[in-house]
Each structure stands twice: as structure tokens, then as C-alpha cells.
Amino acid sequence: MANRIFTLIVLIGLPLSVIGSIFHWPSVIMFGVYCITIIALAGFMGRATESLAIVAGPRIGGLLNATFGNAVELIISIFALKEGLVGVVLASLTGSVLGNLLLVAGLSFFVGGLKFKRQEFSIYDARHNSGLLMFAVIVAFVIPEVFSMEMTETQTLSLSIGISVILIILYLAALLFKLVTHRGVYQHKTDVVEEHEEPEWTKGKALIILLLSTVAVAYVSENLVHTFESVGESFGWSELFIGVIIVAIVGNAAEHASAIIMAYKNKMNIAVEIAVGSTLQIAMFVAPLLVIISLFFTQKMPLVFTLPELISMATAVLLTISITNDGDTNWFEGATLLAAYIIMGIGFYLL
């Protein structure tokens, strides 16, 4: 049913996106059309990556889901940087971290917990991810903020570039560790044995749909970015709120849905890999990559967040670590993460 709705939305939304941009329809209307179309396209990307994930296995599957889920946000962010909307990009990165750790993980734990009293996942992966989360957010994001207080803009940008390169190298090293050198070394004895599944699409069809969806998302995203200013003025939304809540939710719709579905099927290793893996990919790869990409635009983007953004991300990391470090979860822990997300959302709305 949901797949048919997404197909219908794409068939209607894409032509409307093209026609509306050509004839300059009102920004508020087009903002809604663009957002809904991107979410539907993200649904296609999610289905394609899920088909590929079934063939590739849970860890690579989680990585694929995270990568192509984040591809949407990366595309939106590049066009936002092109327009000089550095504040929106930094806010959307914050929103992705908060969204994945609190909203996606929270909904996954809550929905899965309603069906199963207790759900378990690899405690080794949880502890490994905890260390990376502490490094990626607490160390790599807080350090530039602290040191930049005593630096010029040029020095701050140089520091951001240096940290970005280190983050990307460590992220690639983390992939090497999990997928090559230590693949299968840390197997949790309570890992659920996955039943054999048939992919919805063949590998070739899934790749073609993934490619076409990505191209379509790029086109719609470029037009979406042009509506931010008008929409912000119309609804009284700040640049910070648009980035943290709106762009982050729209940009991460594919993995949001995938993680919740996996949790409902009691495939918690994949659900956690999507939620936490996506956060790590945002913090250690997408954010530093955007810093480097910004060097080719007029407006450069240092890796310096506002104080509310930093404190929110640090709090989300610490709360997630405390909840996931025991390797099991339930609906109440999911509700706790969701409550934290709502509190932060209210705060960003009122700023």
C-alpha cells in the first residue's frame, strides 16, 4: 500500500516540481511539493538499497542504507552551500545527528518494543560505536568551537580542514576494521538468525532505480533550497529550525523508514546499524566532506556549530550511549529518546 502511494506521489510530484519551477509558483506551495516528492523518492532509494542489502548481508546492508539515505541530505546541503546558506547546512547536520540518535533510534526501539518485550543486538558493535560517537561529536565538533574563540576566520577554517581530513581518514579506517580486518571476529552469541529473504528487485534493477532516484532528488533539492528564505519568512521559522528539523527529516526519510521496519521485524542489528551508522557517517564523512566542498564556493564553511547545536548533539550522544551500551532495548527506552528529541525540537523552534 505504502509503495503504491510513494509511486503515485513520484508520478505526480516530479512533473509538478518541473512545471512549478518553470512557471514560478508560490514558494510555500512548491516547498510542500518538493519535500513530499523527495520523501517519496527516498522511499524508492530505501527499497532499492534494501534489495541490495539482502544480497550483501546485515553490516554492509546497514552501511548501504546509511550511505544512500545520507546521499539525499548531502545533495541538499551542496546546493545550500552553493547559495551561501552555511547556517542551514550546519543546522541540518545537527538535525541529522539528533534525528538519527533520538528520532530514528527512538522510534525503532519504541515500535519494535511494542511487538517484542525485549530486543537484543550486538553488544560489541554498540561499544565500538560508542567510542566513535564520543570521538566524532564530543571531540571533533567541540574542539573547533573551543579553539576558534581565540582564532581568526582563516585560522578557524584551516583547523576545520585539518579536522575534516582526520575524520574522513578515521571513518575509512573504521570501515576497514568492521568490514575487512575484524569482520566476524566480534559475533554476539544472541544475534538473531535472519530468515532467508528474497530481494524485491534484482541487483541490476535496484541499481538503476537508485541512480534515477538520486538524479531526481538532485533536481528537486536544488529547487527546494531556493524556497527556504520565503518559507522561513512566511511561517516565522528561523534558519536554524529549517535546518535542524525540516531539512534533516526530509533528507533522512529513507533510513528513518528502513530502521523502523527492521526493528518491527526484530532485526535490531540492522536497525541500530542504520541509526548509529548513519550518525557516524554524517559526523565523520558528510560533515567534513562538506567543509572541503565549501572551499570551491564563495562562502566557506568552518566546522563550527552554535552552542545550542553542540550541547544538543553532545547530550544526544551521551543519552544514546547510556541506553544502547547493554546491547538490549525496549519500548520505554525508545520513548525516552523520543522525549529528548521533542524537547530539543521545541527549543530550536523557539530560538
Side-chain angles (χ1 to χ4, degrees), residues 70-100:
N70 289 331
V72 176
E73 185 172 14
L74 180 62
I75 292 165
I76 295 174
S77 296
I78 289 171
F79 286 117
L81 278 179
K82 187 182 172 187
E83 295 298 313
L85 301 172
V86 171
V88 170
V89 175
L90 286 168
S92 73
L93 293 170
T94 301
S96 289
V97 171
L98 299 181
N100 284 311

PDB file of all heavy atoms in Angstrom, residues 70-100:
ATOM      1  N   ASN A  70      21.844   9.117   3.444  1.00  0.00           N
ATOM      2  CA  ASN A  70      22.560  10.383   3.617  1.00  0.00           C
ATOM      3  C   ASN A  70      22.856  11.076   2.291  1.00  0.00           C
ATOM      4  O   ASN A  70      23.170  12.264   2.273  1.00  0.00           O
ATOM      5  CB  ASN A  70      23.864  10.147   4.376  1.00  0.00           C
ATOM      6  CG  ASN A  70      23.621   9.822   5.836  1.00  0.00           C
ATOM      7  OD1 ASN A  70      22.637  10.253   6.413  1.00  0.00           O
ATOM      8  ND2 ASN A  70      24.498   9.041   6.433  1.00  0.00           N
ATOM      9  N   ALA A  71      22.780  10.339   1.184  1.00  0.00           N
ATOM     10  CA  ALA A  71      23.034  10.940  -0.128  1.00  0.00           C
ATOM     11  C   ALA A  71      22.053  12.074  -0.409  1.00  0.00           C
ATOM     12  O   ALA A  71      22.413  13.106  -0.976  1.00  0.00           O
ATOM     13  CB  ALA A  71      22.932   9.878  -1.226  1.00  0.00           C
ATOM     14  N   VAL A  72      20.799  11.885   0.031  1.00  0.00           N
ATOM     15  CA  VAL A  72      19.769  12.918  -0.176  1.00  0.00           C
ATOM     16  C   VAL A  72      20.177  14.194   0.547  1.00  0.00           C
ATOM     17  O   VAL A  72      20.152  15.283  -0.018  1.00  0.00           O
ATOM     18  CB  VAL A  72      18.392  12.433   0.334  1.00  0.00           C
ATOM     19  CG1 VAL A  72      17.348  13.542   0.216  1.00  0.00           C
ATOM     20  CG2 VAL A  72      17.936  11.210  -0.450  1.00  0.00           C
ATOM     21  N   GLU A  73      20.556  14.051   1.811  1.00  0.00           N
ATOM     22  CA  GLU A  73      20.931  15.239   2.574  1.00  0.00           C
ATOM     23  C   GLU A  73      22.210  15.872   2.044  1.00  0.00           C
ATOM     24  O   GLU A  73      22.352  17.100   2.032  1.00  0.00           O
ATOM     25  CB  GLU A  73      21.112  14.897   4.054  1.00  0.00           C
ATOM     26  CG  GLU A  73      21.380  16.155   4.853  1.00  0.00           C
ATOM     27  CD  GLU A  73      21.379  15.918   6.330  1.00  0.00           C
ATOM     28  OE1 GLU A  73      21.438  14.760   6.754  1.00  0.00           O
ATOM     29  OE2 GLU A  73      21.338  16.910   7.047  1.00  0.00           O
ATOM     30  N   LEU A  74      23.156  15.046   1.616  1.00  0.00           N
ATOM     31  CA  LEU A  74      24.398  15.572   1.047  1.00  0.00           C
ATOM     32  C   LEU A  74      24.095  16.436  -0.179  1.00  0.00           C
ATOM     33  O   LEU A  74      24.651  17.536  -0.332  1.00  0.00           O
ATOM     34  CB  LEU A  74      25.326  14.418   0.670  1.00  0.00           C
ATOM     35  CG  LEU A  74      26.676  14.792   0.044  1.00  0.00           C
ATOM     36  CD1 LEU A  74      27.514  15.616   0.999  1.00  0.00           C
ATOM     37  CD2 LEU A  74      27.440  13.545  -0.383  1.00  0.00           C
ATOM     38  N   ILE A  75      23.191  15.964  -1.028  1.00  0.00           N
ATOM     39  CA  ILE A  75      22.812  16.715  -2.235  1.00  0.00           C
ATOM     40  C   ILE A  75      22.156  18.040  -1.862  1.00  0.00           C
ATOM     41  O   ILE A  75      22.508  19.099  -2.396  1.00  0.00           O
ATOM     42  CB  ILE A  75      21.869  15.862  -3.117  1.00  0.00           C
ATOM     43  CG1 ILE A  75      22.623  14.657  -3.699  1.00  0.00           C
ATOM     44  CG2 ILE A  75      21.275  16.698  -4.259  1.00  0.00           C
ATOM     45  CD1 ILE A  75      21.727  13.573  -4.271  1.00  0.00           C
ATOM     46  N   ILE A  76      21.187  17.984  -0.921  1.00  0.00           N
ATOM     47  CA  ILE A  76      20.513  19.224  -0.476  1.00  0.00           C
ATOM     48  C   ILE A  76      21.545  20.200   0.087  1.00  0.00           C
ATOM     49  O   ILE A  76      21.521  21.400  -0.212  1.00  0.00           O
ATOM     50  CB  ILE A  76      19.436  18.917   0.588  1.00  0.00           C
ATOM     51  CG1 ILE A  76      18.307  18.063  -0.002  1.00  0.00           C
ATOM     52  CG2 ILE A  76      18.848  20.210   1.158  1.00  0.00           C
ATOM     53  CD1 ILE A  76      17.276  17.591   1.015  1.00  0.00           C
ATOM     54  N   SER A  77      22.477  19.683   0.901  1.00  0.00           N
ATOM     55  CA  SER A  77      23.480  20.533   1.556  1.00  0.00           C
ATOM     56  C   SER A  77      24.427  21.189   0.552  1.00  0.00           C
ATOM     57  O   SER A  77      24.812  22.351   0.712  1.00  0.00           O
ATOM     58  CB  SER A  77      24.295  19.718   2.569  1.00  0.00           C
ATOM     59  OG  SER A  77      23.471  19.254   3.603  1.00  0.00           O
ATOM     60  N   ILE A  78      24.808  20.459  -0.499  1.00  0.00           N
ATOM     61  CA  ILE A  78      25.704  21.032  -1.515  1.00  0.00           C
ATOM     62  C   ILE A  78      25.026  22.218  -2.207  1.00  0.00           C
ATOM     63  O   ILE A  78      25.647  23.275  -2.406  1.00  0.00           O
ATOM     64  CB  ILE A  78      26.123  19.957  -2.542  1.00  0.00           C
ATOM     65  CG1 ILE A  78      27.093  18.949  -1.886  1.00  0.00           C
ATOM     66  CG2 ILE A  78      26.800  20.598  -3.758  1.00  0.00           C
ATOM     67  CD1 ILE A  78      27.402  17.727  -2.723  1.00  0.00           C
ATOM     68  N   PHE A  79      23.748  22.064  -2.556  1.00  0.00           N
ATOM     69  CA  PHE A  79      23.032  23.175  -3.197  1.00  0.00           C
ATOM     70  C   PHE A  79      22.829  24.337  -2.224  1.00  0.00           C
ATOM     71  O   PHE A  79      22.847  25.498  -2.622  1.00  0.00           O
ATOM     72  CB  PHE A  79      21.684  22.701  -3.755  1.00  0.00           C
ATOM     73  CG  PHE A  79      21.829  21.869  -5.008  1.00  0.00           C
ATOM     74  CD1 PHE A  79      21.423  20.547  -5.041  1.00  0.00           C
ATOM     75  CD2 PHE A  79      22.382  22.416  -6.163  1.00  0.00           C
ATOM     76  CE1 PHE A  79      21.570  19.768  -6.189  1.00  0.00           C
ATOM     77  CE2 PHE A  79      22.534  21.657  -7.316  1.00  0.00           C
ATOM     78  CZ  PHE A  79      22.125  20.337  -7.331  1.00  0.00           C
ATOM     79  N   ALA A  80      22.636  24.029  -0.931  1.00  0.00           N
ATOM     80  CA  ALA A  80      22.504  25.077   0.077  1.00  0.00           C
ATOM     81  C   ALA A  80      23.827  25.842   0.230  1.00  0.00           C
ATOM     82  O   ALA A  80      23.839  27.073   0.359  1.00  0.00           O
ATOM     83  CB  ALA A  80      22.077  24.480   1.412  1.00  0.00           C
ATOM     84  N   LEU A  81      24.957  25.108   0.202  1.00  0.00           N
ATOM     85  CA  LEU A  81      26.274  25.768   0.264  1.00  0.00           C
ATOM     86  C   LEU A  81      26.494  26.674  -0.941  1.00  0.00           C
ATOM     87  O   LEU A  81      27.050  27.773  -0.830  1.00  0.00           O
ATOM     88  CB  LEU A  81      27.382  24.699   0.306  1.00  0.00           C
ATOM     89  CG  LEU A  81      27.714  24.048   1.648  1.00  0.00           C
ATOM     90  CD1 LEU A  81      28.799  23.007   1.461  1.00  0.00           C
ATOM     91  CD2 LEU A  81      28.157  25.094   2.669  1.00  0.00           C
ATOM     92  N   LYS A  82      26.047  26.199  -2.096  1.00  0.00           N
ATOM     93  CA  LYS A  82      26.176  26.970  -3.333  1.00  0.00           C
ATOM     94  C   LYS A  82      25.457  28.315  -3.215  1.00  0.00           C
ATOM     95  O   LYS A  82      25.900  29.325  -3.754  1.00  0.00           O
ATOM     96  CB  LYS A  82      25.597  26.155  -4.491  1.00  0.00           C
ATOM     97  CG  LYS A  82      25.806  26.764  -5.865  1.00  0.00           C
ATOM     98  CD  LYS A  82      25.162  25.892  -6.919  1.00  0.00           C
ATOM     99  CE  LYS A  82      25.180  26.581  -8.283  1.00  0.00           C
ATOM    100  NZ  LYS A  82      24.407  25.816  -9.284  1.00  0.00           N
ATOM    101  N   GLU A  83      24.326  28.288  -2.462  1.00  0.00           N
ATOM    102  CA  GLU A  83      23.543  29.516  -2.246  1.00  0.00           C
ATOM    103  C   GLU A  83      24.059  30.328  -1.057  1.00  0.00           C
ATOM    104  O   GLU A  83      23.483  31.354  -0.711  1.00  0.00           O
ATOM    105  CB  GLU A  83      22.068  29.159  -2.025  1.00  0.00           C
ATOM    106  CG  GLU A  83      21.375  28.528  -3.215  1.00  0.00           C
ATOM    107  CD  GLU A  83      21.324  29.455  -4.426  1.00  0.00           C
ATOM    108  OE1 GLU A  83      20.964  30.631  -4.260  1.00  0.00           O
ATOM    109  OE2 GLU A  83      21.683  28.994  -5.534  1.00  0.00           O
ATOM    110  N   GLY A  84      25.115  29.830  -0.397  1.00  0.00           N
ATOM    111  CA  GLY A  84      25.690  30.555   0.740  1.00  0.00           C
ATOM    112  C   GLY A  84      24.964  30.344   2.052  1.00  0.00           C
ATOM    113  O   GLY A  84      25.172  31.085   3.016  1.00  0.00           O
ATOM    114  N   LEU A  85      24.095  29.333   2.128  1.00  0.00           N
ATOM    115  CA  LEU A  85      23.308  29.069   3.342  1.00  0.00           C
ATOM    116  C   LEU A  85      24.074  28.152   4.302  1.00  0.00           C
ATOM    117  O   LEU A  85      23.654  27.037   4.606  1.00  0.00           O
ATOM    118  CB  LEU A  85      21.959  28.444   2.967  1.00  0.00           C
ATOM    119  CG  LEU A  85      21.069  29.275   2.035  1.00  0.00           C
ATOM    120  CD1 LEU A  85      19.851  28.476   1.589  1.00  0.00           C
ATOM    121  CD2 LEU A  85      20.627  30.560   2.731  1.00  0.00           C
ATOM    122  N   VAL A  86      25.209  28.648   4.794  1.00  0.00           N
ATOM    123  CA  VAL A  86      26.077  27.850   5.673  1.00  0.00           C
ATOM    124  C   VAL A  86      25.353  27.482   6.967  1.00  0.00           C
ATOM    125  O   VAL A  86      25.466  26.352   7.458  1.00  0.00           O
ATOM    126  CB  VAL A  86      27.380  28.612   5.986  1.00  0.00           C
ATOM    127  CG1 VAL A  86      28.186  27.894   7.067  1.00  0.00           C
ATOM    128  CG2 VAL A  86      28.219  28.757   4.721  1.00  0.00           C
ATOM    129  N   GLY A  87      24.585  28.429   7.511  1.00  0.00           N
ATOM    130  CA  GLY A  87      23.845  28.177   8.752  1.00  0.00           C
ATOM    131  C   GLY A  87      22.858  27.032   8.612  1.00  0.00           C
ATOM    132  O   GLY A  87      22.716  26.200   9.521  1.00  0.00           O
ATOM    133  N   VAL A  88      22.176  26.977   7.471  1.00  0.00           N
ATOM    134  CA  VAL A  88      21.204  25.903   7.213  1.00  0.00           C
ATOM    135  C   VAL A  88      21.916  24.554   7.128  1.00  0.00           C
ATOM    136  O   VAL A  88      21.435  23.544   7.652  1.00  0.00           O
ATOM    137  CB  VAL A  88      20.405  26.167   5.914  1.00  0.00           C
ATOM    138  CG1 VAL A  88      19.587  24.954   5.520  1.00  0.00           C
ATOM    139  CG2 VAL A  88      19.491  27.372   6.075  1.00  0.00           C
ATOM    140  N   VAL A  89      23.077  24.539   6.468  1.00  0.00           N
ATOM    141  CA  VAL A  89      23.828  23.283   6.304  1.00  0.00           C
ATOM    142  C   VAL A  89      24.305  22.755   7.660  1.00  0.00           C
ATOM    143  O   VAL A  89      24.124  21.572   7.985  1.00  0.00           O
ATOM    144  CB  VAL A  89      25.031  23.481   5.358  1.00  0.00           C
ATOM    145  CG1 VAL A  89      25.871  22.207   5.299  1.00  0.00           C
ATOM    146  CG2 VAL A  89      24.553  23.847   3.962  1.00  0.00           C
ATOM    147  N   LEU A  90      24.903  23.623   8.473  1.00  0.00           N
ATOM    148  CA  LEU A  90      25.362  23.203   9.803  1.00  0.00           C
ATOM    149  C   LEU A  90      24.188  22.740  10.664  1.00  0.00           C
ATOM    150  O   LEU A  90      24.285  21.758  11.393  1.00  0.00           O
ATOM    151  CB  LEU A  90      26.105  24.352  10.495  1.00  0.00           C
ATOM    152  CG  LEU A  90      27.506  24.654   9.953  1.00  0.00           C
ATOM    153  CD1 LEU A  90      28.031  25.979  10.507  1.00  0.00           C
ATOM    154  CD2 LEU A  90      28.483  23.529  10.289  1.00  0.00           C
ATOM    155  N   ALA A  91      23.062  23.462  10.552  1.00  0.00           N
ATOM    156  CA  ALA A  91      21.869  23.087  11.315  1.00  0.00           C
ATOM    157  C   ALA A  91      21.322  21.734  10.847  1.00  0.00           C
ATOM    158  O   ALA A  91      20.863  20.924  11.654  1.00  0.00           O
ATOM    159  CB  ALA A  91      20.799  24.166  11.181  1.00  0.00           C
ATOM    160  N   SER A  92      21.378  21.478   9.533  1.00  0.00           N
ATOM    161  CA  SER A  92      20.866  20.201   9.017  1.00  0.00           C
ATOM    162  C   SER A  92      21.758  19.038   9.463  1.00  0.00           C
ATOM    163  O   SER A  92      21.269  17.934   9.706  1.00  0.00           O
ATOM    164  CB  SER A  92      20.762  20.232   7.488  1.00  0.00           C
ATOM    165  OG  SER A  92      22.033  20.177   6.879  1.00  0.00           O
ATOM    166  N   LEU A  93      23.067  19.295   9.579  1.00  0.00           N
ATOM    167  CA  LEU A  93      23.982  18.272  10.102  1.00  0.00           C
ATOM    168  C   LEU A  93      23.646  17.968  11.571  1.00  0.00           C
ATOM    169  O   LEU A  93      23.612  16.810  11.989  1.00  0.00           O
ATOM    170  CB  LEU A  93      25.433  18.729   9.973  1.00  0.00           C
ATOM    171  CG  LEU A  93      25.969  18.868   8.544  1.00  0.00           C
ATOM    172  CD1 LEU A  93      27.327  19.560   8.549  1.00  0.00           C
ATOM    173  CD2 LEU A  93      26.061  17.514   7.854  1.00  0.00           C
ATOM    174  N   THR A  94      23.385  19.037  12.328  1.00  0.00           N
ATOM    175  CA  THR A  94      22.947  18.864  13.719  1.00  0.00           C
ATOM    176  C   THR A  94      21.655  18.062  13.766  1.00  0.00           C
ATOM    177  O   THR A  94      21.511  17.125  14.556  1.00  0.00           O
ATOM    178  CB  THR A  94      22.711  20.243  14.384  1.00  0.00           C
ATOM    179  OG1 THR A  94      23.914  21.001  14.344  1.00  0.00           O
ATOM    180  CG2 THR A  94      22.260  20.083  15.830  1.00  0.00           C
ATOM    181  N   GLY A  95      20.715  18.437  12.887  1.00  0.00           N
ATOM    182  CA  GLY A  95      19.424  17.756  12.838  1.00  0.00           C
ATOM    183  C   GLY A  95      19.557  16.287  12.486  1.00  0.00           C
ATOM    184  O   GLY A  95      18.798  15.451  12.986  1.00  0.00           O
ATOM    185  N   SER A  96      20.527  15.960  11.636  1.00  0.00           N
ATOM    186  CA  SER A  96      20.745  14.559  11.259  1.00  0.00           C
ATOM    187  C   SER A  96      21.253  13.741  12.436  1.00  0.00           C
ATOM    188  O   SER A  96      20.816  12.613  12.660  1.00  0.00           O
ATOM    189  CB  SER A  96      21.747  14.472  10.107  1.00  0.00           C
ATOM    190  OG  SER A  96      21.167  14.933   8.932  1.00  0.00           O
ATOM    191  N   VAL A  97      22.195  14.325  13.180  1.00  0.00           N
ATOM    192  CA  VAL A  97      22.719  13.634  14.365  1.00  0.00           C
ATOM    193  C   VAL A  97      21.598  13.414  15.385  1.00  0.00           C
ATOM    194  O   VAL A  97      21.394  12.304  15.884  1.00  0.00           O
ATOM    195  CB  VAL A  97      23.880  14.440  15.001  1.00  0.00           C
ATOM    196  CG1 VAL A  97      24.280  13.844  16.353  1.00  0.00           C
ATOM    197  CG2 VAL A  97      25.078  14.471  14.065  1.00  0.00           C
ATOM    198  N   LEU A  98      20.844  14.479  15.663  1.00  0.00           N
ATOM    199  CA  LEU A  98      19.737  14.377  16.622  1.00  0.00           C
ATOM    200  C   LEU A  98      18.646  13.448  16.096  1.00  0.00           C
ATOM    201  O   LEU A  98      18.096  12.623  16.834  1.00  0.00           O
ATOM    202  CB  LEU A  98      19.138  15.766  16.905  1.00  0.00           C
ATOM    203  CG  LEU A  98      20.065  16.819  17.507  1.00  0.00           C
ATOM    204  CD1 LEU A  98      19.304  18.115  17.744  1.00  0.00           C
ATOM    205  CD2 LEU A  98      20.674  16.325  18.804  1.00  0.00           C
ATOM    206  N   GLY A  99      18.334  13.585  14.800  1.00  0.00           N
ATOM    207  CA  GLY A  99      17.276  12.783  14.194  1.00  0.00           C
ATOM    208  C   GLY A  99      17.589  11.295  14.214  1.00  0.00           C
ATOM    209  O   GLY A  99      16.737  10.479  14.545  1.00  0.00           O
ATOM    210  N   ASN A 100      18.826  10.952  13.878  1.00  0.00           N
ATOM    211  CA  ASN A 100      19.213   9.536  13.845  1.00  0.00           C
ATOM    212  C   ASN A 100      19.310   8.931  15.235  1.00  0.00           C
ATOM    213  O   ASN A 100      18.815   7.832  15.484  1.00  0.00           O
ATOM    214  CB  ASN A 100      20.546   9.362  13.108  1.00  0.00           C
ATOM    215  CG  ASN A 100      20.389   9.483  11.608  1.00  0.00           C
ATOM    216  OD1 ASN A 100      19.527   8.863  11.014  1.00  0.00           O
ATOM    217  ND2 ASN A 100      21.222  10.300  10.991  1.00  0.00           N
TER     218      ASN A 100
END
